[in-house]
Amino acid sequence: MYAVIGAGPMGLASARNLSKQGLPFVGYELNNDVGGLWDIDNPHSTMYETAHLISSKRMTEFREFPMDERVATYPHHAELKQYFQDYARHFDLYRHYRFGTRVVSVTPEGEGWRVTAEKDGNQDSRYFDGVLIASGTLHTPNRPTLPGQFEGELLHACDYRDPVLFKDKRVLIVGCGNSACDMAVDAVHQAKRVDLSVRRGYYFLPKFIGGRPSDAIGGKLKLPRRLKQRLDAWLIRMIIGRPSDYGLPDPDYRLYEAHPVVNSLVLHHLGHGDITPRSDIASMHGRTVTFTDGAQAEYDLILLATGYKLDYPFIDSALLNWRGAAPSLYLNLFHPHYDNLFMMGMIEAAGLGWEGRNEQAELVALYLKRRAEGHPAARELARLKRERAGQSLDGGYHYLKLSRMAYYVHKDSYRAELAKQRQALQ
């Protein structure tokens, strides 16, 4: 019997693939329904009312369960909540889950794991042959220490739900990732003033090129890495220009060496003066913020769109082979020492989608099946994961040394390695 922790996209994919292989399991989910962060009614979700996918539906969906044709190209979170509920019903996954249940601890016991969980104030524990951790990566906010004291509202993006928050306020949004830019665009229609504090340069991509989703264009012709970076960067400059054309810093790294911002609306509003670009914060006093370029402004609200930290509070980080900002694993998935502990979905890659994560789940379920059978390919994979833990599948890209990039991979290199290992286990 196996435990699956989480009923978001990765947890459901894990459950689906265990079921396909005939492996018994119990799912644990803190919320009362499936969908994870895509269920805005989940009190633990970091979703906000205006959120949509930043990748197109055909590049994101599970291959064996396509989204309805009526669903938007870049679906709203409500459509995705419905999608995951339909997925769970279609594959009969609901009956395997214990909903409204918090996993308190996961500890090794003999050849397996002891999982202690709590529901309605009552705890129970159960022994499992293995554990698949699929609780997500966007739960624990990264709250940087700011210089000085601010007397207005100071919130993190995880606290944001509705644009009404910005009504008639002078707003400073700190950060320039995809969520930060979404929130800045939301604020334009409500706030007295919207400023965007940006430390480093970002590449900006439009959601559509020639009426087609930009992530669905190209890919058939495999170009050398450096040529692709130059060609795509040139194409983007021709379409939307450089960030410095809008008052933002230009990136000091090549395209695809950090996650791009898929949002051209923020550039539209910067170009129209609806959003004012600001440099990094140097100091704060009262409601006055001084920036590193010497500029000053007063604010009623500072919203920290500064991302999230990996956090698995129910298990000792030492058990996850944690190194630096993330666990050191083979394929971001396999523990080098434990043959029955898996980090599902601890991965980011441009264009990977949920199908790429489903391929993770396929490999794990197949490995568990073959391991139980004593198959030599399972023994070989056990050897490989000990040798290759922490090996980078970056495809030659020099990813920025940031915490949020610690589990970033090159999509094609990663999926090729997954396919190679799945084929070996067939």
Side-chain angles (χ1 to χ4, degrees):
M1 181 70 73
Y2 298 95
V4 175
I5 301 175
M10 191 70 247
L12 293 177
S14 301
R16 165 63 178 151
N17 282 281
L18 290 175
S19 181
K20 284 171 72 174
Q21 294 296 336
L23 299 171
F25 67 94
V26 173
Y28 292 91
E29 170 53 43
L30 187 55
N31 190 29
N32 291 314
D33 205 342
V34 302
L37 67 83
W38 290 104
D39 179 3
I40 198 170
D41 298 319
N42 176 354
H44 315 287
S45 172
T46 55
M47 194 55 55
Y48 45 96
E49 289 289 354
T50 59
H52 291 71
L53 268 182
I54 62 168
S55 55
S56 63
K57 66 179 180 182
R58 296 298 176 226
M59 297 297 290
T60 311
E61 65 193 6
F62 292 116
R63 184 178 297 120
E64 67 173 347
F65 196 74
M67 293 189 201
D68 193 285
E69 289 293 339
R70 293 168 293 182
V71 171
T73 302
Y74 291 94
H76 184 259
H77 65 78
E79 294 177 295
L80 297 172
K81 173 183 176 179
Q82 185 64 55
Y83 175 71
F84 292 121
Q85 290 174 334
D86 292 344
Y87 180 96
R89 292 190 190 97
H90 182 79
F91 295 115
D92 193 25
L93 302 179
Y94 272 103
R95 65 186 177 90
H96 295 281
Y97 271 92
R98 294 180 57 187
F99 290 101
T101 303
R102 178 189 298 274
V103 172
V104 176
S105 66
V106 175
T107 54
E109 181 176 308
E111 295 298 312
W113 296 85
R114 175 69 56 178
V115 175
T116 301
E118 181 178 272
K119 182 179 176 66
D120 299 328
N122 300 311
Q123 286 193 4
D124 65 80
S125 66
R126 184 170 178 176
Y127 176 87
F128 290 96
D129 297 307
V131 177
L132 287 71
I133 299 174
S135 53
T137 60
L138 301 175
H139 295 297
T140 301
N142 176 39
R143 300 180 189 269
T145 301
L146 298 178
Q149 295 294 320
F150 181 65
E151 293 181 358
E153 290 181 272
L154 180 61
L155 301 174
H156 188 273
C158 68
D159 304 311
Y160 174 65
R161 282 293 182 275
D162 193 292
V164 72
L165 173 71
F166 302 124
K167 184 71 173 176
D168 296 330
K169 295 175 183 174
R170 298 165 296 177
V171 176
L172 176 65
I173 295 175
V174 179
C176 196
N178 282 284
S179 294
C181 290
D182 278 356
M183 293 171 192
V185 171
D186 285 353
V188 162
H189 306 289
Q190 298 283 342
K192 285 183 179 178
R193 189 178 76 242
V194 184
D195 292 1
L196 189 64
S197 173
V198 183
R199 267 196 316 181
R200 63 170 58 87
Y202 289 76
Y203 284 96
F204 290 81
L205 308 181
K207 284 195 169 181
F208 293 93
I209 297 176
R212 296 178 58 198
S214 56
D215 61 356
I217 295 173
K220 293 182 179 179
L221 178 62
K222 300 299 181 184
L223 298 174
R225 171 182 54 81
R226 188 59 59 83
L227 177 59
K228 178 174 175 57
Q229 288 177 298
R230 288 176 178 170
L231 184 61
D232 288 2
W234 175 84
L235 177 63
I236 295 305
R237 282 198 302 273
M238 293 302 100
I239 295 171
I240 61 176
R242 300 175 184 271
S244 54
D245 295 332
Y246 303 88
L248 298 173
D250 289 323
D252 57 0
Y253 53 90
R254 294 186 177 91
L255 183 60
Y256 304 128
E257 292 180 351
H259 203 68
V261 177
V262 188
N263 187 323
S264 50
L265 280 177
V266 70
L267 301 180
H268 169 90
H269 287 295
L270 283 161
H272 285 75
D274 302 326
I275 300 172
T276 301
R278 298 289 189 180
S279 59
D280 198 12
I281 295 175
S283 64
M284 302 186 304
H285 181 72
R287 291 183 181 239
T288 301
V289 175
T290 302
F291 299 95
T292 53
D293 62 1
Q296 287 187 329
E298 291 195 348
Y299 300 99
D300 304 301
L301 167 65
I302 295 178
L303 185 66
L304 300 174
T306 47
Y308 297 84
K309 299 183 291 186
L310 286 182
D311 185 26
Y312 305 96
F314 46 79
I315 186 169
D316 189 332
S317 61
L319 294 173
L320 299 178
N321 200 39
W322 207 288
R323 300 288 185 272
S328 180
L329 310 171
Y330 174 52
L331 291 171
N332 289 26
L333 179 62
F334 290 96
H335 196 286
H337 308 302
Y338 295 114
D339 294 330
N340 53 5
L341 179 66
F342 308 93
M343 296 299 295
M344 312 300 299
M346 192 199 75
I347 187 169
E348 282 295 337
L352 187 66
W354 293 318
E355 182 55 31
R357 292 164 173 83
N358 181 65
E359 290 167 1
Q360 279 192 324
E362 282 187 293
L363 177 57
V364 167
L366 192 56
Y367 169 70
L368 290 173
K369 178 87 169 187
R370 295 292 182 253
R371 180 172 173 266
E373 296 168 351
H375 197 286
R379 290 194 295 272
E380 175 61 13
L381 180 51
R383 183 189 69 80
L384 281 177
K385 70 186 181 67
R386 288 191 293 272
E387 291 182 359
R388 299 182 182 179
Q391 181 184 74
S392 176
L393 286 170
D394 57 19
Y397 289 87
H398 301 291
Y399 295 131
L400 297 186
K401 302 300 182 183
L402 304 172
S403 295
R404 65 185 173 86
M405 299 295 292
Y407 48 99
Y408 206 88
V409 301
H410 177 241
K411 177 191 70 172
D412 293 339
S413 301
Y414 187 81
R415 294 184 78 169
E417 189 68 13
L418 286 178
K420 178 181 175 182
Q421 297 305 333
R422 288 201 312 276
Q423 186 175 10
L425 290 166
Q426 295 293 339

